[in-house]
Every structure is written in C-alpha cells, then in structure tokens.
Amino acid sequence: MTDPIRIGNASGFYGDRFAAVHEMLTGGPLDVLTGDYLAELTMLILGRDRMKNPERGYAKTFLRQMEDNLALAKEKRVKIVVNAGGLNPAGLAAALRELAQRLGVDTAIAHVEGDDLLPRAAELGFGSPLTANAYLGAFGIAECLRAGADVVVTGRVTDASLVAGPAAAHFGWQRTDLDALAGAVAAGHIIECGAQATGGNYAFFTEHEIGTPGFPIAEVHADGSSVITKHPGTGGMVTTGTVTAQLLYEITGARYAGPDVTTRFDALTLTEEGPDRVRVTGARGEPPPPELKVCLNTVGGFRNEVTFVLTGLDIERKAELVRAQLERGIAGNRPAEVRWRLARTDHADADTEQRASALLQCVVKDPDAQMTGRAFSGAAIELALASYPGFHVTAPPSDASPYGVYTAGFVAAGEVAHLAVLPDGSTVDIPHPGSTATLSEVADPPLPEPLTGGATRRVPLGTIAAARSGDKGGSANVGVWVRSEAAWRWLAHALTVEEFRRLLPETASLPVRRYLLPNLYALNFVVEDILGEGVSAQARFDPQAKALGEWLRARYVDIPEEIL
C-alpha cells in the first residue's frame, strides 16, 4: 500500500473521555482507531484487580465502549487497536468475543501477549513484584492485522506501538525500515496522550479557543512522515506548538529508545501546512537497544494523611503547636515515615475565610497497616478541642491505604516471548530485532550565538516560553520551548541547569540533566528523584509533576525586550 494510513486515538489514559470512541468513529474517515489505557500507575491498579479476581486485570472501560461502538466500527471498516488488555489481554479478547456474539457482530479479534514476566520475576532478578511487564513493540500488532483482525488488544506494549504496528502492517515495513519506523514512533508519541496534542494542557492556551478538544489523528505516509490533525469541527487546535509540547512529553534526550527502533528526536522537523495540520518529517531511526524495559510494581506499604486548616493570625505558631502535639500522640506507635508540609496559602487581611487559611499536611507511611491506620487518625482528631484556635481538618479521619512503588527493570529481549494470537486461535512467535545498539546519549549540539546586550524587563519566563512536564518513575522531565530563533538564542544561554535549580528550589539538591533540541527550539530537563518512589507513593504535592513546568513558567527572569 502507498496511500497514507489515517490512525486516530480515542484514549490517553484509563479514565479518559468515554464518548471519544464514538466521536472519533462518527467525526470523519479513519482506517484505525487506537486507545492507550495503560500507565505505570494503571498497571498497579490492574495488578490489585487481578489479586481480587484472576479473570480481571484489563481495562473494563474499553468493554463498555465496545458495547456501544463495536458494530459501528465494523460498519465503518475501522480497525481497533488498544493496549486495554493490561495484565490479561487473553481475558479481554475472550470477553470481546462474547460481546460480539451477543451483539451479533461478526468481528475477528486477536491479541498480543508475552509481556507478562511475573511467573519468572525471581528467575530474572526482579524479586517478588505485584506486576512485571516488558514493553513489547509493534510487530505483534502488525501480524494480527495482516491476519485479518478487526480488533487487536495487547498488554504492555510501548504506547507508540499502537500506531507503528498498523503502519507497519499497512506498508509492509520490515525490521530494517528504521527511518520509516522512527517516523511512525514519533507520530505515535504525539497522539498517544489524546487531547494533549490538540490543545489540552497547552501552555499558550490563552491564545486559542480551546473548548473541548477533539482527539488527534496521524496520517502516516509510506516513508514514516506524518501529518497530525483532527476531525473537522471538533474543539481545540493542532499547531506546531501543540505538537512540540507532546513531542517533549516524558522524554530525555535526542534518542528515544523503543523495542523496534531508537528514534532521533533531534532530526524531526515540524511544518504547519494549514489549519489544524502539522507535518512531521525528517525522522531518523537507529537500531534499538538489546534490552527491553520492564515495568515493575510492588506494594510499598501503607499510608495515611491528615490536613489541618490554619486560619488567620499566628500561622507558624499554630503549625508548631499541632505538630508537637501530634508527634507526642504517636510517639509510642510512630510510623516509619512521618512527613510534614506547610502550604502558606493564606493572605493578610483576607476577604474570605478560605483566603485567610493555610494548610498543614501530615503524611505517614509504614509497612504495617496498623501503624498508619485508625491509631494515627485518632491521634490527630483527639486534638480537636485541645489545640490551636479554629481547629479543623479538610476530611474526616480514614484508615490506612496501600501504596505502590514503581521501578524500571531491564531484560535481554531474547528472554521475552512476543506472541501474536490470531483470530483463528493460532499463535505466531514474533522475533526480536536482529540488529541492536547499546543506547548512549547524543552529545549536545553547539549553542547558538547569544543575543547581544540590550535592555531587559523582569517578567515571568512563560511570557515567551512554553513548557510541558510529566513523570517517569521517581523522576520528572520539563520540556521548555520558544517560538523564534532570537528567543532560542536567549533561552539556550539563559536557562542553564544552575538557573533551573535557582528558579525551582525543590530541585536544588537533586540531579538535573539538560538536553538541547535546536530543531524544536527546545530544552529538556530531567530531574531525578523528585517524585520519590513514583506517582503511586504520592511523595509530592504534585505527584506526577504535571504542573512543574507551569511553576517554572511563573518564575520571574530578566528577558531582553527585543524578544518580548
């Protein structure tokens, strides 16, 4: 096939807009509709589901969406490719067959498996996790589609494989078509988070009428280039800015490694070729690493929290009093970790009680549920009539709840089975790439010529710079970009690691790496350990670092007037 393949996305996470599947199927032409339901946190949630019922472990939302849309997809001849299988793709495929039979829809259903390494976790050196899943690539999906599947469900594949697999099947790409595969991976990375590519969570949102953004579409061509767009008449927008934002989301440097190809993000070029149409070209592919990444989730222990509301005068003294009282109250039964945080959200001479109040949070963690349960909650609430004036809390006392810990492991690709289970029930073993290359960082390109001196004005960095941030385990990334060469010449010199740490004091003692992407007028910062044990552990006020970039944009810096 030489015609481009039109691949839409209808889900960026487990819990995304339920109606998006129907909207995408009825909003305009598509060849394939994908859905990303998995994240590190989701795998933990599904792991707990599977503990309660071994027949579960998949995204039940997808089944409900297919109840309404399976016949519609078949009528419109749109293939469905999703990773909603989670920890049990075979179980989801079986449930879909039952659904199709009940609805009277003749649908060929296939699935991809082999990613679940839990039975071999100890043998592979991963200990005793709750979940252990290798990130598989695109070719199992491609095999299922070539065999005539209408619906393909997978477990833990890379998010971009949901796009690269259908493209590989459509164009007949082989393992050696690295540049084409790299282009499809870039397109998949752009649309994998749904409306984030069409104006959702966009730093320059005030310049646009966002409404309710439609979901994105990638028109992938035979050489791997693509056009990112959306259905006509839907909300939001597709611009080089929204596409840049998503390209920078949750990456590190110039090399973006996957199981099929390592994509050079420093080679990508974006061109706005019309309203809501951005062309992505220049992708360059290199052999993938010899190892596959493994998503490992364990139960870290139990946590609880209480948030005291401190209102009016003497905020610091009120915080000192209740902290000392609660510390004495739990001294004989103290959890392993007790963390306090005072958020000075109060304002002097406030015109509402809420604006006059600050929040003091105490979070406790321990391997033993009893150490963080009712004994802790009770010790906090017993102070209600014996502490600071105006005592109250934001929520009633609760029992301990388990929390998870995510870590990334790695395993030789040859240790992992990659199996395509075709609509007729037969199984095809998908070989891993024969050519691999150990991943290494690309040396930073030369800095651009700095701007010459001139008058500056002290304004928020976000006056000229956009940002997008996110989580990767215990680390976070902050992508920052500007929209002109002159602004890039200033940003590349001004926003050093030292300046980044100064602007975000929470990062001052943490390892921070900076990467340059001149093709996007962008810098990417990776902050290690800022999220502790990861999002499931809720170690930080913003546990997924989603607003870290917005905090950076709100900080004041001296910017040359010529680029303002």
Side-chain angles (χ1 to χ4, degrees):
M1 298 291 292
T2 57
D3 292 339
I5 181 172
R6 194 169 160 89
I7 305 172
N9 173 282
S11 176
F13 68 101
Y14 193 7
D16 209 342
R17 191 157 82 230
F18 186 87
V21 171
H22 188 76
E23 293 169 6
M24 291 298 285
L25 288 173
T26 58
L30 286 177
D31 297 305
V32 179
L33 183 61
T34 67
D36 178 13
Y37 293 79
L38 302 184
E40 294 155 1
L41 177 61
T42 314
M43 300 300 280
L44 173 71
I45 294 169
L46 295 178
R48 291 170 61 183
D49 284 350
R50 186 171 62 177
M51 286 179 65
K52 298 173 187 174
N53 183 349
E55 295 182 0
R56 295 294 189 182
Y58 55 77
K60 297 185 288 291
T61 298
F62 175 69
L63 262 184
R64 299 202 306 273
Q65 288 172 311
M66 288 298 98
E67 178 100 26
D68 300 334
N69 295 288
L70 188 61
L72 179 62
K74 180 72 174 181
E75 174 193 333
K76 291 183 173 291
R77 303 177 67 183
V78 176
K79 306 285 189 179
I80 305 288
V81 179
V82 297
N83 60 12
L87 303 177
N88 188 7
L92 178 56
L96 282 168
R97 291 188 189 98
E98 292 176 7
L99 175 64
Q101 185 175 20
R102 177 163 57 82
L103 295 176
V105 180
D106 182 17
T107 303
I109 297 167
H111 72 274
V112 176
E113 60 183 35
D115 60 294
D116 192 350
L117 303 181
L118 190 63
R120 301 172 55 210
E123 167 200 339
L124 296 171
F126 298 138
S128 302
L130 178 64
T131 70
N133 295 80
Y135 286 79
L136 301 179
F139 282 88
I141 295 169
E143 189 69 29
C144 292
L145 292 171
R146 288 179 183 134
D150 299 308
V151 180
V152 181
V153 297
T154 77
R156 182 67 282 183
V157 298
T158 64
D159 301 341
S161 292
L162 300 175
V163 169
H170 181 76
F171 296 115
W173 292 339
Q174 302 301 311
R175 289 282 187 187
T176 52
D177 294 316
L178 293 178
D179 289 348
L181 287 167
V185 165
H189 181 69
I190 292 165
I191 73 168
E192 72 188 37
C193 288
Q196 279 197 166
T198 56
N201 303 346
Y202 182 52
F204 290 134
F205 75 100
T206 58
E207 300 177 4
H208 303 273
E209 184 63 43
I210 302 294
T212 301
F215 276 65
I217 298 166
E219 298 173 353
V220 183
H221 292 255
D223 63 354
S225 65
S226 63
V227 173
I228 308 301
T229 185
K230 63 185 184 71
H231 282 322
T234 55
M237 66 287 175
V238 178
T239 68
T240 53
T242 66
V243 173
T244 297
Q246 190 54 31
L247 277 174
L248 294 175
Y249 187 60
E250 296 180 346
I251 67 167
T252 53
R255 285 191 168 106
Y256 186 73
D260 299 316
V261 63
T262 293
T263 303
R264 291 291 295 263
F265 273 32
D266 56 343
L268 297 173
T269 299
L270 306 183
T271 308
E272 210 159 292
E273 66 170 32
D276 297 320
R277 292 183 64 82
V278 173
R279 186 170 292 278
V280 185
T281 57
R284 199 161 81 244
E286 298 173 343
E291 297 181 317
L292 299 180
K293 184 179 177 181
V294 181
C295 173
L296 300 166
N297 279 293
T298 58
V299 176
F302 298 84
R303 74 185 299 278
N304 204 346
E305 66 177 84
V306 62
T307 301
F308 302 96
V309 182
L310 316 174
T311 304
L313 305 176
D314 306 315
I315 296 294
E316 299 285 347
R317 294 288 299 276
K318 288 172 179 173
E320 290 174 10
L321 173 60
V322 73
R323 176 172 177 167
Q325 289 176 319
L326 184 54
E327 289 280 3
R328 285 195 295 272
I330 62 174
N333 198 36
R334 197 174 198 278
E337 180 181 338
V338 180
R339 189 175 69 250
W340 293 86
R341 181 181 292 114
L342 176 60
R344 292 301 303 265
T345 53
D346 53 303
H347 297 73
D349 195 22
D351 57 355
T352 67
E353 183 176 339
Q354 189 172 15
R355 284 171 55 84
S357 300
L359 301 175
L360 177 66
Q361 181 191 49
C362 180
V363 177
V364 294
K365 294 180 181 178
D366 197 275
D368 186 348
Q370 291 186 344
M371 298 291 285
T372 59
R374 292 286 175 177
F376 166 75
S377 295
I381 298 306
E382 286 171 1
L383 300 173
L385 304 181
S387 190
Y388 61 88
F391 180 105
H392 65 286
V393 296
T394 58
S398 62
D399 208 346
S401 58
Y403 72 91
V405 175
Y406 163 83
T407 55
F410 294 90
V411 62
E415 292 285 344
V416 180
H418 185 174
L419 302 173
V421 183
L422 306 184
D424 64 2
S426 63
T427 300
V428 177
D429 184 24
I430 307 299
H432 294 285
S435 176
T436 62
T438 302
L439 191 66
S440 62
E441 291 187 357
V442 177
D444 272 340
L447 289 171
E449 286 293 318
L451 288 183
T452 55
T456 62
R457 197 186 320 160
R458 194 161 187 79
V459 295
L461 175 62
T463 306
I464 67 161
R468 178 161 287 167
S469 55
D471 62 298
K472 273 296 179 187
S475 300
N477 92 292
V478 184
V480 185
W481 78 99
V482 289
R483 298 184 285 187
S484 71
E485 182 183 6
W488 167 243
R489 288 168 58 193
W490 172 81
L491 182 73
H493 289 273
L495 194 55
T496 61
V497 169
E498 292 72 22
E499 178 68 354
F500 181 90
R501 286 190 171 121
R502 185 189 72 80
L503 294 173
L504 304 184
E506 288 184 28
T507 70
S509 62
L510 300 174
V512 178
R513 289 170 287 147
R514 184 181 90 149
Y515 300 94
L516 277 72
L517 293 166
N519 55 316
L520 301 175
Y521 291 155
L523 303 172
N524 189 45
F525 294 88
V526 177
V527 186
E528 295 181 16
D529 304 328
I530 191 169
L531 302 179
E533 294 173 306
V535 56
S536 307
Q538 299 282 304
R540 191 173 173 272
F541 167 69
D542 174 16
Q544 291 181 283
K546 300 301 186 187
L548 194 61
E550 287 301 292
W551 178 26
L552 178 66
R553 294 182 68 238
R555 296 307 309 269
Y556 278 64
V557 294
D558 296 317
I559 299 179
E561 288 192 348
E562 67 178 281
I563 60 173
L564 284 174

